[in-house]
Amino acid sequence: MIEVNQPALGAVREDPGPAVADPHSRRQQIAWALYECARNPFYVLINIYVFSAYFTNEVVGDPVWGQALWGYILSTAAIFIAVAAPLLGTIADAGGRRKPFLIACILVAVPATAVLSFAVPDMGHGLFAIVAALVLVNICYELSSIFYNALLPQVAPVHRYGSVSGLAYALANGAGIILFGAYLLADWGLAPGAEGGVVQRIVPLVVAIWWLVFSLPLLLRVPDPAPSRLPLGMVVSSGLKRLGQSVGRLRALPDVLSYLLARMVFNEGFIILMMFMGVVGAGVLGWSGAQLSVMGLVLSFVALAGSLFGGRLDDRLGSKAALQVCILGCVVANLLLITIAPGTVLFMTTDPHVTGGLFPRTADKAFFLAEGLAAFFVTAGLVSSRAMLAKIAPPASLNEMFGIYALSGTATSFLGPLSIAILTQVFASQRAGLSAGLIFLLGGLVLLRRVGTDHVGANSARF
């Protein structure tokens, strides 16, 4: 699966003009797309499934405190991203060079990812270094997206943006499937029953090498735009001024403003459902890395089905109704999750004993089902989330509105992880922490009702 939260493309997107490179250069388009393939394994193998579960359960040694600490790690990184993304997005949108910033992110992220291989069960004072590395690599992961996405006009004409972006996500999912398969092979065949998290500790090293190797085509083949002749200070101040003016103009677009507020809230619920899969599976049910990897493989296909379903549902019901259905589907998944324990499903007692097979208990099957529902409806919801804004924003201002849309995705992205961390720590319960997802999902659903229409260009007359 690919990431839930879309990174900021910049404060306000201006027309990038014609691509500098040959728009029919398939080599450059593939080189650009391979960077998504390079970085996506960090998201799925480190942040969601394998390493997150190993870190919270074994490295920290206390699943409850581990989940809280994981939430604090993600929220700390998200706060920095929320502050830095508008500034860096302004630089990217100003037409200046992007690759030096991208290289800087890679040079920090790759070694920081490799450092995670030093995480051993029940770490003492060395835990701080692992926490610091996780914060650093999450920051670089997100910030690199700004400059990476801004390089798309260098390799493709406007009419091919969608197909080249789709290629990038296809390669990213392919990378996840390959590395999940490699992990399962190592866990089952090469190092069965290995002590001390040997296989889990190899994962960050493999992800770091993969990130570096598949970044090289982008760095070597994709051209950088010509640097801006304006002083950096002028570029930044001008960009931030434009951002302020754009946000101010939202007053004349009440449906767009209401929708962006709703999206900021329900998107945090999406993040909680996807980002804490591995942490909850390992901490509550004691799942192994192999069990989580199998789920990751299956849910990659479930997410694909969700995206197709989301498109059809959006066409039939309209974006607002489709999005409401998807949020309600996520609410059902979240409600089911907080009722699951080794001997409990829907707060009713089930047989807690292992009887054989990879997912033997009723609780295991229920957790798999709940996360499958979450993956399906979150992905479908992301489809309608983008389409909704495209329909209600003035056609002449789509670039500007999508710039604010991207910014809104990072401005409050720390709230979900921070909320789950606080609730987990206060109630000393991982399931109590998950209730934060319900708060955001239901809050977003209520706010979405204030959006009056999703007809294309409905607000253009008011702009």
Side-chain angles (χ1 to χ4, degrees):
M1 287 184 298
I2 56 176
E3 62 196 87
V4 174
N5 191 30
Q6 296 297 319
L9 302 181
V12 179
R13 293 292 302 178
E14 300 291 344
D15 183 1
V20 174
D22 178 3
H24 303 291
S25 174
R26 291 293 295 168
R27 289 185 178 181
Q28 289 183 353
Q29 291 168 6
I30 293 171
W32 181 87
L34 279 171
Y35 183 72
E36 196 69 64
C37 166
R39 74 192 195 105
N40 190 59
F42 169 79
Y43 190 82
V44 294
L45 286 161
I46 303 296
N47 267 2
I48 298 181
Y49 294 107
V50 178
F51 188 82
S52 61
Y54 169 67
F55 175 84
T56 55
N57 259 30
E58 299 187 42
V59 177
V60 177
D62 177 354
V64 173
W65 168 233
Q67 177 169 296
L69 182 58
W70 192 255
Y72 289 129
I73 289 169
L74 296 181
S75 60
T76 299
I79 289 171
F80 184 90
I81 293 162
V83 173
L87 180 62
L88 295 178
T90 296
I91 296 172
D93 279 344
R97 298 183 66 190
R98 286 82 184 258
K99 286 172 67 174
F101 295 95
L102 185 57
I103 291 171
C105 289
I106 294 170
L107 289 178
V108 174
V110 168
T113 302
V115 165
L116 302 180
S117 296
F118 293 100
V120 296
D122 298 312
M123 287 190 76
H125 63 277
L127 183 63
F128 177 79
I130 303 302
V131 169
L134 281 166
V135 171
L136 274 177
V137 71
N138 271 284
I139 290 171
C140 292
Y141 175 90
E142 293 291 354
L143 294 185
S144 70
S145 303
I146 297 172
F147 301 101
Y148 167 60
N149 290 334
L151 283 169
L152 179 57
Q154 299 301 115
V155 301
V158 174
H159 69 274
R160 283 191 55 81
Y161 283 5
S163 60
V164 176
S165 294
L167 173 64
Y169 286 129
L171 292 173
N173 277 311
I177 291 171
I178 290 170
L179 291 182
F180 273 134
Y183 174 85
L184 290 172
L185 177 64
D187 190 68
W188 289 345
L190 302 181
E195 298 293 332
V198 172
V199 179
Q200 289 90 338
R201 290 170 61 195
I202 293 174
V203 168
L205 186 59
V206 172
V207 169
I209 294 172
W210 184 282
W211 195 336
L212 178 62
V213 170
F214 286 95
S215 295
L216 294 177
L218 170 70
L219 300 180
L220 297 176
R221 289 192 172 274
V222 176
D224 217 357
S228 173
R229 296 181 180 180
L230 295 175
L232 180 60
M234 185 176 297
V235 168
V236 173
S237 63
S238 175
L240 293 178
K241 181 179 179 180
R242 291 198 306 271
L243 173 63
Q245 292 171 343
S246 298
V247 173
R249 280 197 288 269
L250 286 175
R251 296 177 182 176
L253 302 169
D255 283 335
V256 175
L257 178 58
S258 296
Y259 174 66
L260 289 175
L261 291 173
R263 185 249 180 185
M264 288 171 65
V265 176
F266 69 69
N267 194 61
E268 294 302 306
F270 288 174
I271 291 172
I272 287 174
L273 283 177
M274 303 307 293
M275 289 293 286
F276 287 83
M277 278 185 179
V279 173
V280 175
V284 175
L285 297 178
W287 275 20
S288 67
Q291 288 173 297
L292 291 168
S293 294
V294 169
M295 184 173 72
L297 275 171
V298 173
L299 294 195
S300 294
F301 294 101
V302 171
L304 176 61
S307 65
L308 297 176
F309 170 81
R312 294 291 297 273
L313 190 67
D314 191 281
D315 290 343
R316 285 181 174 272
L317 302 183
S319 295
K320 179 179 176 179
L323 194 50
Q324 289 172 323
V325 169
C326 293
I327 295 173
L328 286 172
C330 290
V331 168
V332 171
N334 204 331
L335 281 170
L336 178 56
L337 283 171
I338 64 176
T339 72
I340 296 173
T344 303
V345 174
L346 296 176
F347 296 121
M348 295 185 293
T349 302
T350 60
D351 186 359
H353 298 101
V354 175
T355 58
L358 193 58
F359 304 101
R361 300 168 299 186
T362 302
D364 296 326
K365 296 178 178 65
F367 182 78
F368 206 133
L369 173 63
E371 291 295 3
L373 288 172
F376 185 86
F377 284 110
V378 165
T379 309
L382 292 175
V383 173
S384 291
S385 179
R386 286 182 177 180
M388 180 77 178
L389 181 63
K391 291 177 180 179
I392 65 176
S397 303
L398 280 180
N399 283 344
E400 184 178 11
M401 292 300 107
F402 270 106
I404 299 174
Y405 175 88
L407 176 60
S408 71
T410 59
T412 59
S413 60
F414 64 92
L415 288 177
L418 182 60
S419 297
I420 199 171
I422 293 172
L423 288 174
T424 300
Q425 193 171 12
V426 168
F427 293 99
S429 167
Q430 289 184 266
R431 293 191 294 170
L434 281 177
S435 63
L438 289 174
I439 297 171
F440 287 110
L441 290 169
L442 294 173
L445 192 62
V446 170
L447 291 173
L448 189 60
R449 296 182 62 186
R450 298 174 57 187
V451 183
T453 180
D454 61 355
H455 299 302
V456 176
N459 287 286
S460 58
R462 287 183 248 174
F463 188 73

PDB file of all heavy atoms in Angstrom, residues 376-402:
ATOM      1  N   PHE A 376      -9.601  -0.859   2.623  1.00  0.00           N
ATOM      2  CA  PHE A 376     -10.536  -0.714   1.502  1.00  0.00           C
ATOM      3  C   PHE A 376     -11.189   0.665   1.507  1.00  0.00           C
ATOM      4  O   PHE A 376     -11.177   1.392   0.500  1.00  0.00           O
ATOM      5  CB  PHE A 376     -11.600  -1.804   1.592  1.00  0.00           C
ATOM      6  CG  PHE A 376     -12.556  -1.829   0.437  1.00  0.00           C
ATOM      7  CD1 PHE A 376     -12.244  -2.525  -0.715  1.00  0.00           C
ATOM      8  CD2 PHE A 376     -13.779  -1.180   0.502  1.00  0.00           C
ATOM      9  CE1 PHE A 376     -13.121  -2.563  -1.795  1.00  0.00           C
ATOM     10  CE2 PHE A 376     -14.665  -1.206  -0.555  1.00  0.00           C
ATOM     11  CZ  PHE A 376     -14.334  -1.903  -1.711  1.00  0.00           C
ATOM     12  N   PHE A 377     -11.740   1.063   2.654  1.00  0.00           N
ATOM     13  CA  PHE A 377     -12.501   2.313   2.698  1.00  0.00           C
ATOM     14  C   PHE A 377     -11.608   3.549   2.785  1.00  0.00           C
ATOM     15  O   PHE A 377     -11.991   4.621   2.300  1.00  0.00           O
ATOM     16  CB  PHE A 377     -13.501   2.279   3.846  1.00  0.00           C
ATOM     17  CG  PHE A 377     -14.706   1.434   3.570  1.00  0.00           C
ATOM     18  CD1 PHE A 377     -14.907   0.228   4.224  1.00  0.00           C
ATOM     19  CD2 PHE A 377     -15.639   1.836   2.618  1.00  0.00           C
ATOM     20  CE1 PHE A 377     -16.015  -0.558   3.954  1.00  0.00           C
ATOM     21  CE2 PHE A 377     -16.756   1.059   2.334  1.00  0.00           C
ATOM     22  CZ  PHE A 377     -16.939  -0.149   3.006  1.00  0.00           C
ATOM     23  N   VAL A 378     -10.429   3.428   3.394  1.00  0.00           N
ATOM     24  CA  VAL A 378      -9.507   4.568   3.378  1.00  0.00           C
ATOM     25  C   VAL A 378      -9.069   4.868   1.950  1.00  0.00           C
ATOM     26  O   VAL A 378      -9.076   6.026   1.505  1.00  0.00           O
ATOM     27  CB  VAL A 378      -8.278   4.294   4.271  1.00  0.00           C
ATOM     28  CG1 VAL A 378      -7.169   5.300   3.969  1.00  0.00           C
ATOM     29  CG2 VAL A 378      -8.651   4.387   5.747  1.00  0.00           C
ATOM     30  N   THR A 379      -8.696   3.835   1.193  1.00  0.00           N
ATOM     31  CA  THR A 379      -8.264   4.047  -0.191  1.00  0.00           C
ATOM     32  C   THR A 379      -9.395   4.605  -1.041  1.00  0.00           C
ATOM     33  O   THR A 379      -9.194   5.528  -1.831  1.00  0.00           O
ATOM     34  CB  THR A 379      -7.755   2.733  -0.796  1.00  0.00           C
ATOM     35  OG1 THR A 379      -6.798   2.138   0.080  1.00  0.00           O
ATOM     36  CG2 THR A 379      -7.102   2.979  -2.140  1.00  0.00           C
ATOM     37  N   ALA A 380     -10.580   4.040  -0.879  1.00  0.00           N
ATOM     38  CA  ALA A 380     -11.731   4.567  -1.617  1.00  0.00           C
ATOM     39  C   ALA A 380     -12.016   6.009  -1.222  1.00  0.00           C
ATOM     40  O   ALA A 380     -12.349   6.855  -2.071  1.00  0.00           O
ATOM     41  CB  ALA A 380     -12.961   3.695  -1.353  1.00  0.00           C
ATOM     42  N   GLY A 381     -11.853   6.313   0.072  1.00  0.00           N
ATOM     43  CA  GLY A 381     -12.079   7.678   0.535  1.00  0.00           C
ATOM     44  C   GLY A 381     -11.088   8.664  -0.038  1.00  0.00           C
ATOM     45  O   GLY A 381     -11.442   9.824  -0.331  1.00  0.00           O
ATOM     46  N   LEU A 382      -9.844   8.239  -0.231  1.00  0.00           N
ATOM     47  CA  LEU A 382      -8.845   9.130  -0.813  1.00  0.00           C
ATOM     48  C   LEU A 382      -9.204   9.499  -2.252  1.00  0.00           C
ATOM     49  O   LEU A 382      -8.918  10.609  -2.710  1.00  0.00           O
ATOM     50  CB  LEU A 382      -7.465   8.476  -0.764  1.00  0.00           C
ATOM     51  CG  LEU A 382      -6.862   8.301   0.629  1.00  0.00           C
ATOM     52  CD1 LEU A 382      -5.555   7.526   0.549  1.00  0.00           C
ATOM     53  CD2 LEU A 382      -6.634   9.649   1.294  1.00  0.00           C
ATOM     54  N   VAL A 383      -9.821   8.562  -2.967  1.00  0.00           N
ATOM     55  CA  VAL A 383     -10.254   8.843  -4.342  1.00  0.00           C
ATOM     56  C   VAL A 383     -11.270   9.981  -4.353  1.00  0.00           C
ATOM     57  O   VAL A 383     -11.142  10.959  -5.101  1.00  0.00           O
ATOM     58  CB  VAL A 383     -10.846   7.571  -4.979  1.00  0.00           C
ATOM     59  CG1 VAL A 383     -11.469   7.898  -6.344  1.00  0.00           C
ATOM     60  CG2 VAL A 383      -9.782   6.489  -5.127  1.00  0.00           C
ATOM     61  N   SER A 384     -12.299   9.868  -3.520  1.00  0.00           N
ATOM     62  CA  SER A 384     -13.342  10.894  -3.487  1.00  0.00           C
ATOM     63  C   SER A 384     -12.859  12.180  -2.830  1.00  0.00           C
ATOM     64  O   SER A 384     -13.371  13.257  -3.133  1.00  0.00           O
ATOM     65  CB  SER A 384     -14.576  10.376  -2.745  1.00  0.00           C
ATOM     66  OG  SER A 384     -15.218   9.370  -3.493  1.00  0.00           O
ATOM     67  N   SER A 385     -11.882  12.066  -1.947  1.00  0.00           N
ATOM     68  CA  SER A 385     -11.363  13.252  -1.276  1.00  0.00           C
ATOM     69  C   SER A 385     -10.778  14.236  -2.280  1.00  0.00           C
ATOM     70  O   SER A 385     -11.039  15.440  -2.222  1.00  0.00           O
ATOM     71  CB  SER A 385     -10.298  12.829  -0.249  1.00  0.00           C
ATOM     72  OG  SER A 385      -9.758  13.943   0.411  1.00  0.00           O
ATOM     73  N   ARG A 386      -9.992  13.734  -3.208  1.00  0.00           N
ATOM     74  CA  ARG A 386      -9.430  14.599  -4.246  1.00  0.00           C
ATOM     75  C   ARG A 386     -10.510  15.077  -5.205  1.00  0.00           C
ATOM     76  O   ARG A 386     -10.549  16.247  -5.586  1.00  0.00           O
ATOM     77  CB  ARG A 386      -8.353  13.850  -5.025  1.00  0.00           C
ATOM     78  CG  ARG A 386      -7.054  13.647  -4.284  1.00  0.00           C
ATOM     79  CD  ARG A 386      -6.064  12.934  -5.171  1.00  0.00           C
ATOM     80  NE  ARG A 386      -4.779  12.780  -4.527  1.00  0.00           N
ATOM     81  CZ  ARG A 386      -3.745  12.188  -5.089  1.00  0.00           C
ATOM     82  NH1 ARG A 386      -3.857  11.689  -6.301  1.00  0.00           N
ATOM     83  NH2 ARG A 386      -2.595  12.089  -4.451  1.00  0.00           N
ATOM     84  N   ALA A 387     -11.375  14.141  -5.625  1.00  0.00           N
ATOM     85  CA  ALA A 387     -12.408  14.493  -6.603  1.00  0.00           C
ATOM     86  C   ALA A 387     -13.350  15.554  -6.061  1.00  0.00           C
ATOM     87  O   ALA A 387     -13.815  16.424  -6.803  1.00  0.00           O
ATOM     88  CB  ALA A 387     -13.182  13.242  -6.998  1.00  0.00           C
ATOM     89  N   MET A 388     -13.623  15.505  -4.761  1.00  0.00           N
ATOM     90  CA  MET A 388     -14.539  16.462  -4.141  1.00  0.00           C
ATOM     91  C   MET A 388     -14.041  17.889  -4.326  1.00  0.00           C
ATOM     92  O   MET A 388     -14.797  18.784  -4.731  1.00  0.00           O
ATOM     93  CB  MET A 388     -14.669  16.137  -2.653  1.00  0.00           C
ATOM     94  CG  MET A 388     -15.604  17.053  -1.886  1.00  0.00           C
ATOM     95  SD  MET A 388     -17.321  16.648  -2.176  1.00  0.00           S
ATOM     96  CE  MET A 388     -18.125  17.834  -1.115  1.00  0.00           C
ATOM     97  N   LEU A 389     -12.773  18.108  -4.044  1.00  0.00           N
ATOM     98  CA  LEU A 389     -12.243  19.464  -4.182  1.00  0.00           C
ATOM     99  C   LEU A 389     -12.251  19.903  -5.637  1.00  0.00           C
ATOM    100  O   LEU A 389     -12.568  21.056  -5.939  1.00  0.00           O
ATOM    101  CB  LEU A 389     -10.829  19.540  -3.613  1.00  0.00           C
ATOM    102  CG  LEU A 389     -10.190  20.930  -3.678  1.00  0.00           C
ATOM    103  CD1 LEU A 389     -10.975  21.929  -2.833  1.00  0.00           C
ATOM    104  CD2 LEU A 389      -8.738  20.883  -3.203  1.00  0.00           C
ATOM    105  N   ALA A 390     -11.910  19.002  -6.549  1.00  0.00           N
ATOM    106  CA  ALA A 390     -11.907  19.351  -7.967  1.00  0.00           C
ATOM    107  C   ALA A 390     -13.288  19.785  -8.442  1.00  0.00           C
ATOM    108  O   ALA A 390     -13.412  20.612  -9.351  1.00  0.00           O
ATOM    109  CB  ALA A 390     -11.419  18.167  -8.795  1.00  0.00           C
ATOM    110  N   LYS A 391     -14.343  19.253  -7.812  1.00  0.00           N
ATOM    111  CA  LYS A 391     -15.703  19.584  -8.224  1.00  0.00           C
ATOM    112  C   LYS A 391     -16.198  20.901  -7.632  1.00  0.00           C
ATOM    113  O   LYS A 391     -16.971  21.614  -8.273  1.00  0.00           O
ATOM    114  CB  LYS A 391     -16.652  18.452  -7.829  1.00  0.00           C
ATOM    115  CG  LYS A 391     -16.439  17.172  -8.610  1.00  0.00           C
ATOM    116  CD  LYS A 391     -17.366  16.073  -8.130  1.00  0.00           C
ATOM    117  CE  LYS A 391     -17.156  14.786  -8.899  1.00  0.00           C
ATOM    118  NZ  LYS A 391     -18.025  13.694  -8.424  1.00  0.00           N
ATOM    119  N   ILE A 392     -15.792  21.226  -6.403  1.00  0.00           N
ATOM    120  CA  ILE A 392     -16.364  22.406  -5.750  1.00  0.00           C
ATOM    121  C   ILE A 392     -15.491  23.644  -5.882  1.00  0.00           C
ATOM    122  O   ILE A 392     -15.949  24.750  -5.620  1.00  0.00           O
ATOM    123  CB  ILE A 392     -16.641  22.139  -4.257  1.00  0.00           C
ATOM    124  CG1 ILE A 392     -15.342  21.890  -3.485  1.00  0.00           C
ATOM    125  CG2 ILE A 392     -17.602  20.979  -4.092  1.00  0.00           C
ATOM    126  CD1 ILE A 392     -15.551  21.727  -1.991  1.00  0.00           C
ATOM    127  N   ALA A 393     -14.222  23.478  -6.292  1.00  0.00           N
ATOM    128  CA  ALA A 393     -13.333  24.633  -6.434  1.00  0.00           C
ATOM    129  C   ALA A 393     -13.573  25.316  -7.776  1.00  0.00           C
ATOM    130  O   ALA A 393     -13.955  24.669  -8.753  1.00  0.00           O
ATOM    131  CB  ALA A 393     -11.873  24.200  -6.330  1.00  0.00           C
ATOM    132  N   PRO A 394     -13.361  26.620  -7.854  1.00  0.00           N
ATOM    133  CA  PRO A 394     -13.476  27.313  -9.139  1.00  0.00           C
ATOM    134  C   PRO A 394     -12.496  26.725 -10.144  1.00  0.00           C
ATOM    135  O   PRO A 394     -11.313  26.556  -9.823  1.00  0.00           O
ATOM    136  CB  PRO A 394     -13.118  28.764  -8.799  1.00  0.00           C
ATOM    137  CG  PRO A 394     -13.353  28.879  -7.332  1.00  0.00           C
ATOM    138  CD  PRO A 394     -13.027  27.536  -6.763  1.00  0.00           C
ATOM    139  N   PRO A 395     -12.928  26.396 -11.348  1.00  0.00           N
ATOM    140  CA  PRO A 395     -12.033  25.767 -12.324  1.00  0.00           C
ATOM    141  C   PRO A 395     -10.772  26.578 -12.595  1.00  0.00           C
ATOM    142  O   PRO A 395      -9.705  26.003 -12.825  1.00  0.00           O
ATOM    143  CB  PRO A 395     -12.911  25.672 -13.579  1.00  0.00           C
ATOM    144  CG  PRO A 395     -14.308  25.630 -13.060  1.00  0.00           C
ATOM    145  CD  PRO A 395     -14.306  26.509 -11.842  1.00  0.00           C
ATOM    146  N   ALA A 396     -10.875  27.892 -12.555  1.00  0.00           N
ATOM    147  CA  ALA A 396      -9.722  28.734 -12.855  1.00  0.00           C
ATOM    148  C   ALA A 396      -8.703  28.760 -11.713  1.00  0.00           C
ATOM    149  O   ALA A 396      -7.613  29.308 -11.875  1.00  0.00           O
ATOM    150  CB  ALA A 396     -10.179  30.157 -13.157  1.00  0.00           C
ATOM    151  N   SER A 397      -9.056  28.198 -10.558  1.00  0.00           N
ATOM    152  CA  SER A 397      -8.171  28.284  -9.399  1.00  0.00           C
ATOM    153  C   SER A 397      -7.815  26.912  -8.820  1.00  0.00           C
ATOM    154  O   SER A 397      -7.502  26.786  -7.647  1.00  0.00           O
ATOM    155  CB  SER A 397      -8.843  29.130  -8.305  1.00  0.00           C
ATOM    156  OG  SER A 397      -9.179  30.405  -8.784  1.00  0.00           O
ATOM    157  N   LEU A 398      -7.882  25.884  -9.659  1.00  0.00           N
ATOM    158  CA  LEU A 398      -7.643  24.540  -9.150  1.00  0.00           C
ATOM    159  C   LEU A 398      -6.227  24.366  -8.605  1.00  0.00           C
ATOM    160  O   LEU A 398      -6.010  23.737  -7.565  1.00  0.00           O
ATOM    161  CB  LEU A 398      -7.908  23.511 -10.243  1.00  0.00           C
ATOM    162  CG  LEU A 398      -9.379  23.141 -10.487  1.00  0.00           C
ATOM    163  CD1 LEU A 398      -9.498  22.116 -11.598  1.00  0.00           C
ATOM    164  CD2 LEU A 398     -10.021  22.615  -9.214  1.00  0.00           C
ATOM    165  N   ASN A 399      -5.230  24.911  -9.321  1.00  0.00           N
ATOM    166  CA  ASN A 399      -3.855  24.791  -8.835  1.00  0.00           C
ATOM    167  C   ASN A 399      -3.723  25.398  -7.444  1.00  0.00           C
ATOM    168  O   ASN A 399      -3.125  24.823  -6.534  1.00  0.00           O
ATOM    169  CB  ASN A 399      -2.877  25.471  -9.794  1.00  0.00           C
ATOM    170  CG  ASN A 399      -2.606  24.625 -11.026  1.00  0.00           C
ATOM    171  OD1 ASN A 399      -2.903  23.439 -11.045  1.00  0.00           O
ATOM    172  ND2 ASN A 399      -2.053  25.245 -12.044  1.00  0.00           N
ATOM    173  N   GLU A 400      -4.295  26.586  -7.299  1.00  0.00           N
ATOM    174  CA  GLU A 400      -4.211  27.307  -6.032  1.00  0.00           C
ATOM    175  C   GLU A 400      -4.914  26.530  -4.922  1.00  0.00           C
ATOM    176  O   GLU A 400      -4.376  26.365  -3.817  1.00  0.00           O
ATOM    177  CB  GLU A 400      -4.851  28.685  -6.202  1.00  0.00           C
ATOM    178  CG  GLU A 400      -4.749  29.574  -4.990  1.00  0.00           C
ATOM    179  CD  GLU A 400      -5.354  30.946  -5.244  1.00  0.00           C
ATOM    180  OE1 GLU A 400      -6.033  31.120  -6.280  1.00  0.00           O
ATOM    181  OE2 GLU A 400      -5.148  31.823  -4.418  1.00  0.00           O
ATOM    182  N   MET A 401      -6.120  26.027  -5.219  1.00  0.00           N
ATOM    183  CA  MET A 401      -6.878  25.312  -4.195  1.00  0.00           C
ATOM    184  C   MET A 401      -6.216  23.992  -3.817  1.00  0.00           C
ATOM    185  O   MET A 401      -6.216  23.591  -2.655  1.00  0.00           O
ATOM    186  CB  MET A 401      -8.308  25.058  -4.692  1.00  0.00           C
ATOM    187  CG  MET A 401      -9.159  26.319  -4.837  1.00  0.00           C
ATOM    188  SD  MET A 401      -9.358  27.223  -3.263  1.00  0.00           S
ATOM    189  CE  MET A 401      -8.281  28.642  -3.558  1.00  0.00           C
ATOM    190  N   PHE A 402      -5.612  23.303  -4.797  1.00  0.00           N
ATOM    191  CA  PHE A 402      -4.929  22.056  -4.469  1.00  0.00           C
ATOM    192  C   PHE A 402      -3.624  22.309  -3.706  1.00  0.00           C
ATOM    193  O   PHE A 402      -3.157  21.446  -2.965  1.00  0.00           O
ATOM    194  CB  PHE A 402      -4.668  21.225  -5.728  1.00  0.00           C
ATOM    195  CG  PHE A 402      -5.783  20.281  -6.042  1.00  0.00           C
ATOM    196  CD1 PHE A 402      -6.659  20.532  -7.096  1.00  0.00           C
ATOM    197  CD2 PHE A 402      -5.997  19.152  -5.266  1.00  0.00           C
ATOM    198  CE1 PHE A 402      -7.702  19.668  -7.371  1.00  0.00           C
ATOM    199  CE2 PHE A 402      -7.040  18.286  -5.532  1.00  0.00           C
ATOM    200  CZ  PHE A 402      -7.893  18.542  -6.589  1.00  0.00           C
TER     201      PHE A 402
END
